């Protein structure tokens, strides 16, 4: 009799359990591995993977908030909003599994919460559970078709599932709902690029770049360099890579470094070296020509000096750095003076941004930067004194340039 009783008990448990969608229940086994799409789109960067906002705007210590929300849920376990807030904080501190459990519990209490389904979808995206993430996000769209983030996240999931056409539709819908959405333009441009729709991809990529997406700035620079979807223009490539590098985009910094090394090639007849030198020269001219301040400043004084004197040192220093990264000798000379003295413009001596610029261009082989950096390390100006490194920097430079620096290094 024991076996029939066990079967009957099991049947009763199955038919009496609430019928929740599969993505709202914990999975015993991970989804079966799938074939990746032939062309991989970069994963969403950190600021893209955000949950719908259930928390106050002011900055709160997440650990302290976690304790408060645990108490609230313990007191009223049936309040879905508190459980969604708890899931958000758990996700914020990196406890993704606990966040997933809380989010599922909240949605069992409030299955009509569109933002809750988006929250669940985003958490599942971080676990690369694309199939269940798609189900959650589709439910969010069904509940609230006007929720731009749901369409945007669904676009990323659809591409990850190997459905580029559905991804394009989702991104387009997100942009129709929220036109000022540069990240959606960037993602849509990537999918269009891999589906060979180069002209529209380039247009959208440039719009995303103008919206401040560093990755888009790198890719549109690549497009201008290669003439993919736009007319070839090495000056525009330099301009976009410079902006992206300033935002920390490593690939853009490397692209500029390679171009500087080509421009500084010892083979003066190399066609690509000539093109690189000319492009950097035209970019430096464009900086002055495009700046509205350039029209108003005194012709007998460098614009950067005027901006620094007017206490607009961030803009002035930014101009100098852009010119120096583009191999301007006068800019390097002015930066060298500012690094050591700070000037009378509110800058402090030994600014790390200036040092980083000198290090970068010296590594690429720019002689003025090598001489300045050798002096900095030889004298210990804002860095530990390192005579060995200073002498290494001077290797290969003309003797008439090396001797004064060595003499100064020998002076206490």
């Amino acid at each position: 009799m024991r076996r029939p009783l066990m079967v009957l008990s099991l049947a009763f448990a199955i038919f009496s359990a609430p019928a929740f969608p599969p993505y709202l229940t914990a999975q015993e086994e991970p989804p079966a591995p799938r074939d990746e799409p032939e062309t991989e789109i970069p994963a969403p960067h950190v600021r893209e993977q955000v949950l719908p906002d259930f928390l106050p705007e002011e900055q709160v210590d997440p650990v302290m908030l976690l304790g408060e929300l645990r108490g609230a849920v313990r007191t009223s376990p049936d309040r879905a909003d508190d459980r969604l807030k708890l899931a958000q904080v758990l996700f914020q501190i990196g406890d993704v599994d606990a966040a997933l459990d809380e989010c599922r519990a909240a949605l069992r209490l409030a299955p009509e919460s569109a933002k809750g389904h988006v929250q669940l979808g985003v958490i599942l995206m971080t676990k690369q559970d694309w199939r269940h993430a798609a189900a959650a996000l589709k439910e969010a769209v069904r509940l609230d078709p006007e929720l731009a983030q749901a369409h945007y996240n669904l676009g990323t999931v659809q591409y990850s599932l190997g459905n580029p056409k559905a991804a394009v539709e989702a991104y387009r819908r997100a942009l129709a709902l929220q036109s000022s959405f540069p990240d959606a333009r960037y993602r849509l441009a990537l999918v269009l690029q891999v589906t060979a729709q180069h002209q529209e991809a380039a247009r959208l990529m440039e719009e995303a770049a103008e919206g401040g997406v560093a990755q888009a700035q790198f890719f549109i620079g690549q497009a201008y360099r290669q003439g993919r979807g736009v007319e070839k223009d090495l000056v525009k490539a330099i301009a976009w890579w410079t902006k992206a590098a300033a935002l920390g985009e490593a690939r853009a910094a490397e692209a500029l470094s390679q171009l500087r090394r080509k421009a500084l090639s010892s083979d003066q007849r190399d066609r690509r070296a000539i093109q690189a030198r000319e492009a950097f020269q035209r970019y430096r001219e464009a900086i002055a020509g495009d700046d509205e301040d350039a029209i108003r400043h005194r012709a007998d004084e460098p614009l950067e000096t005027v901006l620094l004197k007017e206490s607009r040192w961030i803009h002035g220093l930014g101009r100098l750095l852009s010119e120096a990264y583009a191999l301007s000798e006068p800019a390097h000379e002015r930066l060298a003076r500012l690094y050591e003295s700070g000037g009378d413009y509110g800058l402090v001596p030994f600014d790390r941004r200036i040092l980083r610029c000198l290090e970068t261009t010296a590594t690429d082989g720019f002689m003025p930067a090598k001489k300045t950096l050798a002096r900095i390390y030889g004298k210990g100006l804002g860095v530990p004194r390192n005579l060995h490194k200073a002498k290494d920097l001077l290797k290969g430079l003309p003797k008439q340039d090396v001797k004064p620096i060595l003499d100064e290094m020998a002076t206490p």
Side-chain angles (χ1 to χ4, degrees), residues 335-342 349-351 354-355 376 381-383:
L335 284 175
R337 292 195 294 271
L338 285 172
Y339 176 79
E340 187 170 349
S341 67
F350 313 137
D351 188 284
I354 296 176
L355 181 63
I376 288 172
L381 301 173
V383 295

Side-chain angles (χ1 to χ4, degrees), residues 85-196:
K85 291 175 185 177
L86 177 57
Q88 186 172 352
V89 175
L90 287 165
F91 184 85
Q92 186 179 349
I93 66 171
D95 195 342
V96 177
D97 289 332
L100 185 59
D101 290 342
E102 285 299 330
C103 199
R104 282 173 168 152
L107 286 172
R108 286 194 288 270
L109 294 168
E112 299 300 309
S113 171
K115 286 188 175 181
H117 285 281
V118 173
Q119 184 167 346
L120 177 60
V122 171
I123 295 171
L124 290 167
M125 286 170 68
T126 65
K127 295 176 73 66
Q128 297 187 358
D129 186 351
W130 306 114
R131 185 166 59 89
H132 289 103
L137 292 166
K138 286 177 182 178
E139 179 66 5
V141 167
R142 186 190 70 78
L143 292 167
D144 186 355
E146 307 299 305
L147 200 55
Q149 186 186 346
H151 292 280
Y152 170 71
N153 291 133
L154 185 57
T156 300
V157 170
Q158 291 286 21
Y159 183 82
S160 299
L161 287 169
N163 303 321
K165 185 177 179 180
V168 167
E169 291 175 0
Y171 287 134
R172 289 197 193 282
R173 182 58 182 155
L175 284 169
L177 292 168
Q178 181 62 55
S179 59
S180 57
F181 199 164
D183 291 277
R185 293 182 190 280
Y186 165 61
R187 289 277 154 193
L188 176 56
L190 284 175
V191 181
L192 292 173
Q193 185 65 53
V194 299
T195 54

Side-chain angles (χ1 to χ4, degrees), residues 204-221:
L204 288 163
M205 193 68 78
E206 191 151 20
E207 290 173 359
E210 290 166 353
V213 180
Q215 296 93 328
Q217 293 171 350
F218 165 69
F219 281 118
I220 193 62

